[in-house]
Amino acid sequence: MDTPLDRFDRAALVATAVVDGIADDRFDLPSPCAEWTVRGVLNHIVTGNLVAEAIVAGRAHPNRDVDRLGEDPSAAFAASLASTRVALSEPGLMERVVSTPIGEAPGSFLVQMRVAELLVHGWDLAKATGQPTDLDPELATEVLAAWQARIGQRPRSMLPFDELRSVPVDATAADRLAGYLGRTVVPA
């Protein structure tokens, strides 16, 4: 059975493959996240990684409105993954209670949040740039089950997700995850 860090590593590989597949002229394209372009989604992921590091270290969260990608978005993303992986490997973190963006939880949940962010926003980036969205079916299924259990019947207005969207019967696991977290999987 995978550990939380194993799942983080798998999600990081998936997201890295998608980011590496983005041509330089595609960063200004719109994304499934209406408020962000492709560059905006990637910047959000990088900033989220830095927020996770700040949570682990007990520091103030970085400003979410700063462009952290610079001239080489892929390199900025890779650097954030590497430093976040180090932070999430801190001894005892999995059991320690930390203040996540959606409440107090064990550090293992913080890792789970990063895994979900990497997969779902990896899906956003793939969708926006015309790449395949069939991202690690086993991991996407696990993440979907974890969020279904965590969210349950809680109102979506209390969470950083849009309303549940229907997906085709033959949707991939990553498409089902994206739809569950509020993405439109097929054009209306």
Side-chain angles (χ1 to χ4, degrees):
M1 182 170 177
D2 284 352
T3 68
L5 288 175
D6 292 334
R7 288 188 289 280
F8 177 85
D9 292 341
R10 287 173 60 190
L13 285 173
V14 167
T16 298
V18 172
V19 170
D20 288 349
I22 301 172
D24 289 342
D25 65 347
R26 316 275 296 162
F27 283 96
D28 290 330
L29 291 174
S31 79
C33 300
E35 67 275 16
W36 292 323
T37 62
V38 167
R39 184 180 180 90
V41 171
L42 186 56
N43 192 63
H44 172 75
I45 298 170
V46 169
T47 302
N49 287 339
L50 299 177
V51 168
E53 292 176 38
I55 289 169
V56 171
R59 296 188 315 258
H61 296 194
N63 183 338
R64 290 186 179 269
D65 297 326
V66 172
D67 182 311
R68 301 182 185 286
L69 301 182
E71 295 297 317
D72 190 346
S74 295
F77 174 68
S80 78
L81 280 178
S83 60
T84 300
R85 177 60 165 84
V86 169
L88 297 177
S89 299
E90 181 178 295
L93 175 65
M94 296 304 137
E95 299 78 26
R96 190 176 95 210
V97 174
V98 296
S99 296
T100 76
I102 60 174
E104 299 285 312
S108 60
F109 180 68
L110 177 63
V111 177
Q112 179 184 339
M113 289 179 67
R114 294 315 311 143
V115 170
E117 285 270 307
L118 290 170
L119 278 181
V120 173
H121 288 310
W123 184 93
D124 292 330
L125 294 171
K127 187 80 167 171
T129 59
Q131 298 182 59
T133 59
D134 190 13
L135 310 174
D136 196 328
E138 181 183 353
L139 184 59
T141 298
E142 291 172 13
V143 171
L144 175 58
W147 279 108
Q148 287 171 328
R150 180 109 183 148
I151 294 173
Q153 298 300 314
R154 290 172 66 187
R156 294 286 177 119
S157 61
M158 299 175 62
L159 300 167
F161 310 122
D162 285 336
E163 291 300 316
L164 173 72
R165 303 286 167 84
S166 62
V167 297
V169 173
D170 62 347
T172 68
D175 288 345
R176 287 192 307 277
L177 173 62
Y180 185 77
L181 297 179
R183 275 36 173 208
T184 301
V185 175
V186 294

